[in-house]
């Protein structure tokens, strides 16, 4: 009850501030999207329509309050518009499982819409960094809960209690582990380079503590995806080749030193990386990916959201929906949206990576916050691209 009241009052704060600065409406929507209180609150608070209210207010705020002209529309923006149109067509015109497809469309289209409205309301450093903060604090609630459970012996793949009560969104171990890694470069930027950095007491100590907390959460999930994503972060976070080698060597050395103290459920789970051919979970994913590719060849326009339900690869289920999920953002979009939608998704992802990489290299002689923020986004997106090879989160916020 107390947590629900805090969330309600936080939303009222965003709404009140939004009538003066409309981007606060969007901040509130983003905060709700990443925190996802519907996953851990009880009725009637869970059913409060706060996200749609904030989303509508954000649009109206730009139209009637924000006097700035239209932003420059980039190629990524236009591709997102096309992607939103395409997923709508696959949902309502030729979906294999129409009812399930419409359920997923209802939340997936909101993620696309949130991305489309950001360029209108987030333009200044203050607005962009405020979004960084909102995302970070929303994610840290999930990561902090997972870290506490892990440190108190409550870890384990698929069994660790998280803030989300079911196996969805950040309640899913592999997704939580990947997002925990993605949050690390965000924490570095906020603590060292943001406008609020000077106001953070003992900021380097705080950044170190958060890093350890995120690592505890990754270990607690026992998800192999987290280990792969962490390896990608180590390679991306340091620019110098020799520093990369030194950091990678240090991580390996520390890992081996701590290995005898790691719980048995973690070491047994990590050892399956070397024997993925015989490991049931990995082998079943390879079967799903093969099925998806064959399905896409026969249905190049895709089968709509949740088409995996018809693949018949889940022996524990019965009936027409005995399917096993994609567990891969690339095969997820290929099966659901066909070669057209998958191509749009890849161009969007590639456009974000190329654009942020170019901005990270840009030097204009002034304040270097833009290259640093762009580098942060590049690393986070790259980690998403790597971790997404093992989780189906193509449309999540």
């Amino acid at each position: 009850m107390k947590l629900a009241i805090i969330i309600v009052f936080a939303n009222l704060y965003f709404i009140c501030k939004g009538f003066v600065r409309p981007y606060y409406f969007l901040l509130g929507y983003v905060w709700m999207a990443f925190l996802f209180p519907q996953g851990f609150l009880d009725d009637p608070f869970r059913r409060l329509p706060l996200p749609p209210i904030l989303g509508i207010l954000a649009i109206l705020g730009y139209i009637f309050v924000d006097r700035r002209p239209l932003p420059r529309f980039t190629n990524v923006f236009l591709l997102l518009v096309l992607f939103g149109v395409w997923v709508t067509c696959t949902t309502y015109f030729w979906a294999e499982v129409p009812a399930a497809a419409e359920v997923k469309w209802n939340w997936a289209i909101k993620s696309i819409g949130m991305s489309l409205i950001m360029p209108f309301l987030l333009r200044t450093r203050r607005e962009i960094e405020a979004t960084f903060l909102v995302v970070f604090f929303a994610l840290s609630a999930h990561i902090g809960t997972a870290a506490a459970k892990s440190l108190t012996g409550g870890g384990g793949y698929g069994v660790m209690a998280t803030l989300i009560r079911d196996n969805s969104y950040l309640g899913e171990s592999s997704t939580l582990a990947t997002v925990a890694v993605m949050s690390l470069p965000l924490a570095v930027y906020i603590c060292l380079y943001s406008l609020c950095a000077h106001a953070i007491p003992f900021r380097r100590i705080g950044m170190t503590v958060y890093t350890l907390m995120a690592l505890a959460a990754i270990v607690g999930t026992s998800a192999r995806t987290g280990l792969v994503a962490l390896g990608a972060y180590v390679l991306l976070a340091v620019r110098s080749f020799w520093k990369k080698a030194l950091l990678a060597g240090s991580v390996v050395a520390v890992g081996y030193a701590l290995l005898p103290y790691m719980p048995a459920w973690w070491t047994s789970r990590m050892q399956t990386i070397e024997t993925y051919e015989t490991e049931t979970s990995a082998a079943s994913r390879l079967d799903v990916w093969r099925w998806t590719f064959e399905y896409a060849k026969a249905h190049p326009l895709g089968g709509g959201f949740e088409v995996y339900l018809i693949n018949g690869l889940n022996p524990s289920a019965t009936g027409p929906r005995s399917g096993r999920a994609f567990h891969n953002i690339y095969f997820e979009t290929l099966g659901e949206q066909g070669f057209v939608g998958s191509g749009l998704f890849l161009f969007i992802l590639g456009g974000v990576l190329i654009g942020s990489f170019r901005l990270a290299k840009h030097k204009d002689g002034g304040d270097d916050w833009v290259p640093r923020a762009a580098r942060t986004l590049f690393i986070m997106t790259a980690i998403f691209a790597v971790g997404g090879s093992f989780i189906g989160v193509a449309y999540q916020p």
Side-chain angles (χ1 to χ4, degrees):
M1 177 65 76
K2 293 180 180 178
L3 183 58
I5 293 174
I6 291 173
I7 291 174
V8 170
F9 274 98
N11 277 278
L12 290 176
Y13 171 79
F14 284 123
I15 291 173
C16 292
K17 292 286 288 186
F19 285 108
V20 180
R21 296 183 176 88
Y23 76 92
Y24 271 89
F25 291 136
L26 182 59
L27 291 181
Y29 184 86
V30 169
W31 184 63
M32 290 288 285
F34 281 82
L35 184 63
F36 194 62
Q38 300 92 320
F40 54 86
L41 292 184
D42 295 317
D43 291 334
F45 294 100
R46 185 174 58 180
R47 298 185 181 276
L48 290 176
L50 293 172
I53 290 174
L54 287 162
I56 293 171
L57 287 175
I59 297 172
L60 295 177
Y62 174 77
I63 296 174
F64 295 107
V65 181
D66 196 314
R67 301 297 182 181
R68 291 176 293 186
L70 292 172
R72 181 174 64 88
F73 296 127
T74 64
N75 292 331
V76 170
F77 181 90
L78 298 176
L79 287 170
L80 272 167
V81 173
L82 292 175
F83 191 58
V85 173
W86 184 258
V87 301
T88 302
C89 291
T90 61
T91 300
Y92 290 99
F93 293 113
W94 60 84
E96 293 274 13
V97 193
E102 187 173 355
V103 171
K104 184 171 180 177
W105 179 88
N106 282 331
W107 60 261
I109 198 68
K110 294 173 185 176
S111 294
I112 298 172
M114 181 170 63
S115 302
L116 290 174
I117 196 174
M118 281 184 172
F120 291 88
L121 290 170
L122 305 177
R123 306 197 195 184
T124 68
R125 179 179 183 179
R126 184 181 298 274
E127 293 164 354
I128 292 171
E129 290 188 356
T131 311
F132 281 10
L133 283 169
V134 165
V135 171
F136 176 75
F137 285 121
L139 295 180
S140 62
H142 297 275
I143 295 166
T145 302
K149 294 290 184 180
S150 177
L151 293 173
T152 54
Y157 186 75
V159 298
M160 184 175 68
T162 60
L163 199 59
I164 304 294
R165 295 174 180 174
D166 55 27
N167 191 38
S168 64
Y169 188 44
L170 295 180
E172 197 277 318
S173 297
S174 296
T175 304
L176 180 61
T178 302
V179 170
V181 179
M182 290 175 64
S183 71
L184 294 176
L186 193 59
V188 172
Y189 180 87
I190 290 172
C191 290
L192 299 184
Y193 307 120
S194 68
L195 289 172
C196 67
H198 67 279
I200 302 175
F202 310 107
R203 54 185 181 175
R204 291 187 181 274
I205 296 176
M207 184 178 67
T208 302
V209 170
Y210 178 80
T211 300
L212 295 174
M213 184 174 71
L215 292 175
I218 295 166
V219 171
T221 62
S222 191
R224 296 163 298 190
T225 308
L227 195 62
V228 174
L230 189 60
Y233 176 59
V234 170
L235 293 175
L236 290 167
V238 181
R239 300 182 184 183
S240 166
F241 171 79
W242 295 111
K243 288 182 178 180
K244 288 180 191 289
L246 179 62
L247 181 58
S250 300
V251 170
V252 172
V254 172
Y256 272 108
L258 295 177
L259 195 59
Y261 305 100
M262 301 301 288
W265 48 260
W266 189 86
T267 53
S268 61
R269 179 74 180 172
M270 294 303 110
Q271 286 171 354
T272 59
I273 293 177
E274 298 178 355
T275 58
Y276 70 92
E277 300 94 337
T278 59
E279 203 268 325
T280 305
S281 176
S284 63
R285 294 186 186 191
L286 293 175
D287 290 337
V288 173
W289 298 345
R290 280 191 287 266
W291 176 89
T292 304
F293 186 70
E294 294 300 324
Y295 178 86
K297 288 196 296 183
H299 304 80
L301 299 183
F305 288 130
E306 309 288 40
V307 68
Y308 77 87
L309 291 170
I310 68 170
N311 62 34
L313 296 174
N314 187 359
S316 62
T318 58
R321 296 189 180 187
S322 56
R324 189 177 291 275
F326 297 105
H327 292 289
N328 181 294
I329 58 176
Y330 309 107
F331 284 101
E332 180 183 9
T333 53
L334 178 62
E336 294 181 342
Q337 311 306 330
F339 289 103
V340 176
S342 178
L344 288 171
F345 178 79
L346 289 174
F347 277 118
I348 291 167
L349 189 59
V352 172
L353 287 169
I354 294 171
S356 56
F357 182 79
R358 286 177 175 174
L359 280 175
K361 297 293 184 180
H362 179 70
K363 299 291 184 181
D364 57 5
D367 194 347
D368 58 356
W369 79 271
V370 171
R372 285 171 171 166
R375 178 170 171 77
T376 300
L377 290 174
F378 172 79
I379 295 174
M380 292 177 70
T381 307
I383 293 170
F384 169 79
V386 172
S389 300
F390 308 99
I391 47 178
V393 294
Y395 314 95
Q396 289 191 7

